[in-house]
Amino acid sequence: MASLVEAHERVKDLEWSPSYETTRDRYPTRYRIPPKTKDPFRTLIREYVSMEEEKDDRQYGALEDVLARTNAPAMAERRWLELLKAVLPMVNFAEYAASKACAQLIDTVANQELRQGYQAQMMDEVRHTHQQMYLNRYFAKHAPDPAGFTLGLKAKGGNIFGRTSRTAFETFFMGDPIEGVMNLQVVTETAYTNSLFVAMTQMAAEQGDMVTPGVFLSIQSDEARHMANGYSTLAAVVSETDNHRFLQADFDRGFWRQHNFLDAFLGAVQDYGQVHRAASYLEKWREWVAEDWVGTFVSRLEPFGLKAPTWLELAEERVRWIGHTAMLVAVAGWPLMYWRQSALSDADMQWFEDKYPGWHDHYGWFWEGFREMQEPGSGNPFNLFQEMPPVCRVCQMPCILPRLDINELRIKEYAGRRHAFCSAPCEQIFDQDPSRYLGYRNFWEIWDGHGLDEFIVKQGLLRADGRTLVAQPHNSDDPKMMWTIDDIRALEYEIKDPLQNPDSIYLA
């Protein structure tokens, strides 16, 4: 053991001074990082590669053969598999964005101890993109309805929630690289990957999905090391008193940006993807985010001047409802999606009322109406929801959060344009540096004036026959129940930007 430690120290003594050292200002940062700290990985690259090779052999070597032979995907609940079509492309982009963030940090931070961790994490993130693409490919080959798995990566770019996920995860590498650490390692990986890769793994197994847990748990075993990277970077940052004036503001902004998307996204997937029901997302949030992350991780940094996020209490109030509201928007706009929606049973709605008292008063009317509008020609699917809402200029989430009757929508004029904000924190973040967000074109600005049928055709949201929609308001395979592009054309529905529509209820 002593010889391994000595070898590890000798490697770091080489100081890894690359030929591009003179270009370290490529990604400038306001922060000062001391040249010597603690190595968060303490793992040589050779050891790392051997360890990950063994994990990959277990996943790729036996998994597909055994599970394909046993027809495992057919045993999983369809409701869960449909939402997985949305999960995999969005999470895959997060892994890609994380690899870019680590490459930036290697260029920015002149500290060999931290660079060692960033290099190994970047290799992890590349592996994770491959693992998730493998999982997507597996379901595209073996799922009962592969449509959606086959085009998710392409379709998410034009999807209202796909664009929102990109906006959230681009914070990993856009702007100051140390602020990227706050978004990636300190908030997303430390606070939320347990909710994603651990809680969702349990839920997947309960829905009969035996494939996803093996991949997700392999990924989460790496996330624990990434959390160590974030903590070591934070420890280095707080050791320099000049950094303290930036730290809390960047931390607050990072938490809010990730909360606004991840809590809505994970809440919708975990609560509405269950058939065999167990814990709610709110219960998992309290366990993993409030108790574990805030109570143990963040609290340990308070003596150094870093406090719990300023908007934490507001976020906790919103978590009760934002997943339900996000799901309402996804279901109300189901023809825009690349996955199927399914109606809730009476037992489902009772579970929601038990876990979220008051749920039925606020959402029951919508789900009861949705049951009656599943067959083609049964009515305009958008009639359930008077008008699709504007999206936030900062986070690009629908501006009806956390709930229809208590939304915080605000609209302002800036630089000759109308901008909507879903909350006071998003408006404050915009005001801090508007130039960072003016270049974002949201879903409505891109598709304003297009017919719904035109959007579906251009986005490739039709099945192999060229007529039947990928998205459906049910999971039935009965051909008579399948909506086609002709049914959509009969609606004569035009996509309108609410902020440019003088008749919009949001401008009243």
Side-chain angles (χ1 to χ4, degrees):
M1 178 61 70
S3 61
L4 286 176
V5 173
E6 291 172 2
H8 188 64
E9 294 299 327
R10 283 200 301 273
V11 169
K12 292 186 296 185
D13 285 342
L14 296 175
E15 287 297 337
W16 189 9
S17 298
S19 58
Y20 56 78
E21 191 73 41
T22 56
T23 64
R24 188 152 304 285
D25 59 352
R26 182 182 304 171
Y27 307 111
T29 178
R30 299 168 294 175
Y31 291 88
R32 292 177 55 191
I33 305 295
K36 288 287 186 181
T37 52
K38 290 184 178 180
D39 178 1
F41 266 54
R42 299 194 73 82
T43 303
L44 292 174
I45 295 303
R46 181 180 295 177
E47 296 171 310
Y48 166 84
V49 170
S50 298
M51 174 178 66
E52 300 302 330
E53 181 182 22
E54 180 179 348
K55 290 166 61 176
D56 285 351
D57 285 343
R58 292 176 184 175
Q59 174 182 315
Y60 298 116
L63 183 66
E64 180 166 351
D65 182 59
V66 171
L67 295 176
R69 287 173 185 269
T70 58
N71 198 24
M75 302 176 189
E77 294 291 347
R78 292 284 290 272
R79 180 187 291 178
W80 162 247
L81 290 180
E82 287 302 318
L83 287 182
L84 202 57
K85 293 176 182 179
V87 170
L88 292 177
M90 295 184 193
V91 174
N92 189 261
F93 179 79
E95 306 287 5
Y96 169 72
S99 68
K100 294 186 69 172
C102 291
Q104 251 187 4
L105 287 166
I106 291 170
D107 272 357
T108 301
V109 177
N111 179 308
Q112 180 58 18
E113 305 276 359
L114 295 175
R115 276 189 197 160
Q116 178 85 1
Y118 301 150
Q119 182 193 10
Q121 179 171 348
M122 185 172 70
M123 295 169 69
D124 276 344
E125 308 298 1
V126 172
R127 285 183 58 257
H128 296 173
T129 61
H130 295 168
Q131 288 177 282
Q132 289 160 10
M133 282 304 299
Y134 158 80
L135 189 60
N136 194 84
R137 175 180 177 272
Y138 177 86
F139 282 118
K141 290 177 65 177
H142 301 294
D145 182 7
F149 284 117
T150 56
L151 54 79
L153 285 175
K154 174 185 176 183
K156 77 175 180 63
N159 177 267
I160 185 170
F161 291 107
R163 295 184 67 80
T164 302
S165 68
R166 188 188 73 177
T167 301
F169 299 140
E170 281 179 344
T171 60
F172 297 171
F173 61 85
M174 293 182 68
D176 191 309
I178 303 301
E179 184 178 348
V181 168
M182 303 299 165
N183 281 273
L184 170 60
Q185 296 168 340
V186 176
V187 177
T188 302
E189 291 179 317
T190 306
Y192 284 100
T193 56
N194 282 319
S195 296
L196 173 59
F197 294 124
V198 178
M200 200 174 288
T201 288
Q202 177 185 357
M203 193 185 87
E206 289 168 345
Q207 310 315 308
D209 176 4
M210 296 295 107
V211 186
T212 301
V215 177
F216 275 16
L217 288 179
S218 174
I219 291 172
Q220 184 61 13
S221 66
D222 297 328
E223 299 295 346
R225 297 197 307 273
H226 304 173
M227 297 175 195
N229 266 350
Y231 191 82
S232 295
T233 305
L234 268 182
V237 167
V238 299
S239 70
E240 295 282 344
T241 55
D242 287 348
N243 295 329
H244 293 188
R245 55 198 168 118
F246 311 123
L247 188 58
Q248 189 67 48
D250 286 349
F251 183 43
D252 290 346
R253 189 162 48 246
F255 171 74
W256 188 260
R257 293 297 306 276
Q258 301 313 315
H259 147 74
N260 233 24
F261 171 68
L262 284 170
D263 281 327
F265 171 61
L266 293 174
V269 170
Q270 294 189 23
D271 282 341
Y272 290 85
Q274 298 187 60
V275 174
H276 308 289
R277 293 191 171 276
S280 68
Y281 178 70
L282 180 60
E283 291 168 310
K284 293 298 183 183
W285 190 92
R286 286 170 174 165
E287 176 185 358
W288 292 114
V289 180
E291 297 176 14
D292 192 42
W293 183 63
V294 177
T296 60
F297 181 86
V298 177
S299 63
R300 292 174 61 188
L301 292 162
E302 288 184 356
F304 303 99
L306 185 65
K307 300 177 182 178
T310 300
W311 298 307
L312 177 65
E313 185 175 339
L314 176 60
E316 187 165 6
E317 294 173 3
R318 290 158 55 91
V319 168
R320 290 181 56 84
W321 305 114
I322 60 175
H324 309 301
T325 305
M327 193 65 185
L328 183 151
V329 173
V331 175
W334 68 263
L336 301 169
M337 308 303 163
Y338 53 94
W339 62 90
R340 295 186 180 204
Q341 316 291 352
S342 58
L344 297 179
S345 67
D346 291 340
D348 288 325
M349 290 196 277
Q350 184 59 54
W351 181 89
F352 277 109
E353 184 64 27
D354 292 341
K355 296 294 185 179
Y356 300 91
W359 178 91
H360 196 277
D361 290 340
H362 300 296
Y363 301 97
W365 62 272
F366 174 82
W367 287 99
E368 289 168 355
F370 183 66
R371 287 180 184 177
E372 309 302 322
M373 303 187 69
Q374 297 184 32
E375 290 188 34
S378 59
N380 185 336
F382 299 102
N383 284 346
L384 283 173
F385 200 59
Q386 186 173 1
E387 182 181 320
M388 296 298 276
V391 296
C392 179
R393 178 63 67 194
V394 172
C395 70
Q396 304 229 354
M397 286 296 289
C399 290
I400 51 173
L401 301 177
R403 208 174 63 202
L404 291 175
D405 59 324
I406 53 172
N407 73 79
E408 302 174 39
L409 169 65
R410 50 203 63 215
I411 299 171
K412 70 188 300 182
E413 297 268 353
Y414 185 89
R417 296 162 63 191
R418 279 197 182 104
H419 307 275
F421 302 95
C422 68
S423 60
C426 274
E427 186 175 16
Q428 290 178 39
I429 290 171
F430 177 85
D431 290 340
Q432 289 168 4
D433 187 0
S435 63
R436 293 180 66 170
Y437 311 101
L438 291 177
Y440 285 179
R441 293 184 68 207
N442 64 46
F443 179 86
W444 304 121
E445 289 171 332
I446 294 171
W447 294 102
D448 182 47
H450 290 74
L452 177 59
D453 59 320
E454 184 182 0
F455 169 84
I456 290 171
V457 171
K458 285 189 174 182
Q459 286 293 292
L461 301 179
L462 296 175
R463 295 170 183 261
D465 62 6
R467 293 183 64 251
T468 308
L469 271 61
V470 171
Q472 296 289 330
H474 54 73
N475 284 326
S476 171
D477 292 324
D478 182 350
K480 295 180 181 179
M481 291 286 288
M482 303 294 274
W483 286 66
T484 69
I485 193 66
D486 295 329
D487 299 314
I488 298 298
R489 289 191 177 117
L491 299 176
E492 298 183 346
Y493 187 90
E494 180 181 334
I495 299 174
K496 294 181 180 180
D497 180 355
L499 296 188
Q500 305 304 319
N501 177 12
D503 298 324
S504 171
I505 61 173
Y506 298 102
L507 297 181

